Amino acid sequence: LQAVRDLMTVTLEAENAENPQRPLQLMRDRAAWHRVMRKRFQLTDQEADELFDSLCAAYSNNSDSGISLEQFQNAVTAGRETVAGSTEPDPIASSFASFLDGTSPIELLSYRCCRIGRLEVEGIGKALATPSPHLKALNLWGNYICDQGAAALGRAFETNFGLQFLGLGRNLITHVGLQHLCKALGVTRLFEKSQADPLIKQLKEMMKDRDK
């Protein structure tokens, strides 16, 4: 359910940005839900159904009646308050974090498609803040990490200088999350094509070497 809340945070922000005066509408059928999830998050119909069913089970007596965006908003708000007010460490988050804390000998770690959401990535971020001297690459591709999760990772890089690769493809991170990461890591803007082209070429060559 935490992953659902993270996903709906992004959905609500996107809907409100495009239609600030539009009242919250009711998602009445799965076909409409599938279209939204494919368009915004490139989720498969099966993944979209899992989210739909989770919300319906938690907030509706009948899954066919749908869930209103107002209910989504209430779920998101409740989720934020729960995470912010929690003092006990999440056991699943602690399990993920245990593989990359200062005691871990692992150099390359992949949590690809592990359904990691904000709770789990908070634990991962805390572990990265007290980094392992061995960890060089962390792959978080294909999870449910949102902008707040990116902020947790960004805070870790204030003290972690050893990680060389962080994979965040196919998550729920927007430009807001990118700003959180750049705040800690720094950013260089290139305005001239003559400056950008050699760098793009170099990055492509590095990716080819990595994939060999």
Side-chain angles (χ1 to χ4, degrees):
L1 188 56
Q2 185 60 49
V4 175
R5 288 168 174 157
D6 293 342
L7 178 63
M8 293 319 305
T9 299
V10 182
T11 301
L12 285 166
E13 289 172 352
E15 291 292 336
N16 291 338
E18 290 185 4
N19 304 286
Q21 304 302 321
R22 175 185 173 188
L24 296 177
Q25 300 294 318
L26 189 67
M27 284 285 185
R28 290 189 178 276
D29 61 85
R30 291 179 184 266
W33 174 259
H34 289 167
R35 287 195 297 273
V36 172
M37 293 298 103
R38 281 197 300 268
K39 177 182 177 182
R40 295 205 178 280
F41 307 110
Q42 295 77 52
L43 296 185
T44 65
D45 288 351
Q46 181 180 352
E47 291 171 325
D49 280 337
E50 291 178 6
L51 296 178
F52 191 96
D53 291 338
S54 295
L55 282 166
C56 287
Y59 301 104
S60 175
N61 295 324
N62 182 0
S63 63
D64 292 332
S65 66
I67 296 296
S68 71
L69 290 183
E70 184 176 6
Q71 288 172 302
F72 288 153
Q73 196 167 39
N74 292 338
V76 169
T77 302
R80 285 174 172 166
E81 292 173 351
T82 300
V83 173
S86 177
T87 57
E88 294 294 328
D90 181 77
I92 297 177
S94 298
S95 297
F96 280 114
S98 66
F99 288 93
L100 46 92
D101 62 14
T103 64
S104 175
I106 297 174
E107 294 185 8
L108 308 175
L109 180 61
S110 178
Y111 288 143
R112 180 185 174 103
C113 298
C114 288
R115 298 176 178 266
I116 290 174
R118 194 186 340 147
L119 280 176
E120 293 81 14
V121 85
E122 286 279 354
I124 290 172
K126 290 178 181 178
L128 283 175
T130 54
S132 162
H134 307 288
L135 187 65
K136 302 299 179 186
L138 174 61
N139 185 9
L140 298 173
W141 190 94
N143 286 289
Y144 299 115
I145 300 172
C146 64
D147 291 334
Q148 290 177 309
L153 294 173
R155 290 191 293 271
F157 292 123
E158 295 176 1
T159 54
N160 187 318
F161 306 107
L163 195 69
Q164 299 175 7
F165 173 82
L166 176 64
L168 289 172
R170 206 167 186 269
N171 276 279
L172 308 176
I173 299 172
T174 69
H175 66 285
V176 176
L178 180 60
Q179 288 174 346
H180 289 307
L181 292 170
C182 290
K183 183 178 180 181
L185 298 174
V187 59
T188 300
R189 298 181 66 180
L190 302 178
F191 296 96
E192 299 294 333
K193 189 174 184 297
S194 59
Q195 294 177 305
D197 284 346
L199 181 59
I200 293 172
K201 181 179 179 182
Q202 181 182 0
L203 290 172
K204 288 182 178 179
E205 290 174 352
M206 292 172 63
M207 291 177 67
K208 288 180 181 179
D209 292 337
R210 184 199 67 187
D211 295 337
K212 287 181 179 179

